[in-house]
Amino acid sequence: MRAALVFALLCGCGGGASVVDAGRVDAGRADAAVFTDAATLAGDGGTGAVCTFNSDCVAAARCECSEAAGCACQTGVRGTGRNGVDTCTDGNDCASALCVEGPGSVYYCSDACSSDTGCTGMLPRCLDVTFLGQICARSPM
């Protein structure tokens, strides 16, 4: 069972994770992010495998999350929302399965990144999130 964490900034994968923006400086950094679901990848990406992004699942599955069960690969159609460009209501709207809060409390599809150059549009910075890795996020307020 994965430990449940609370976070401020990001909406986790799938349909169950929630979002709250702290809107303040935490530990000397703006908008520190802590997740409701942090996945440790395991399995082969088949149905029931632990996931963080759709890419952790086989092509016929998507990463779905719930507060009670965490995130797991489930059979279903993946979203097509693009990183930093397309708006979303939850991770099922996004190609990556990750929906985060952007400027003006509008949510955008995000994805994994390794530097700011991999981030686009409304989510221009690559933010390191404990237990998740680096993802595209909005600029600090």
Side-chain angles (χ1 to χ4, degrees):
M1 191 75 155
R2 291 180 284 170
L5 302 174
V6 180
F7 90 100
L9 172 64
L10 305 172
C11 178
C13 63
S18 60
V19 168
V20 179
D21 180 9
R24 66 185 196 296
V25 175
D26 299 304
R29 296 181 312 254
D31 287 307
V34 185
F35 269 72
T36 53
D37 291 300
T40 302
L41 299 180
D44 61 2
T47 301
V50 175
C51 59
T52 301
F53 301 102
N54 281 336
S55 60
D56 299 327
C57 304
V58 296
R62 68 180 180 204
C63 188
E64 291 213 20
C65 299
S66 73
E67 291 295 322
C71 298
C73 298
Q74 299 296 324
T75 301
V77 178
R78 295 179 180 188
T80 58
R82 296 166 294 156
N83 181 19
V85 176
D86 294 321
T87 59
C88 51
T89 56
D90 65 33
N92 290 330
D93 295 334
C94 305
S96 66
L98 186 65
C99 182
V100 303
E101 184 177 356
S105 297
V106 175
Y107 294 86
Y108 292 89
C109 293
S110 182
D111 206 347
C113 57
S114 58
S115 71
D116 289 350
T117 58
C119 299
T120 61
M122 303 306 287
L123 306 174
R125 70 178 176 145
C126 189
L127 179 69
D128 192 14
V129 178
T130 305
F131 302 112
L132 181 67
Q134 295 177 303
I135 62 165
C136 295
R138 70 177 184 210
S139 295
M141 294 175 137

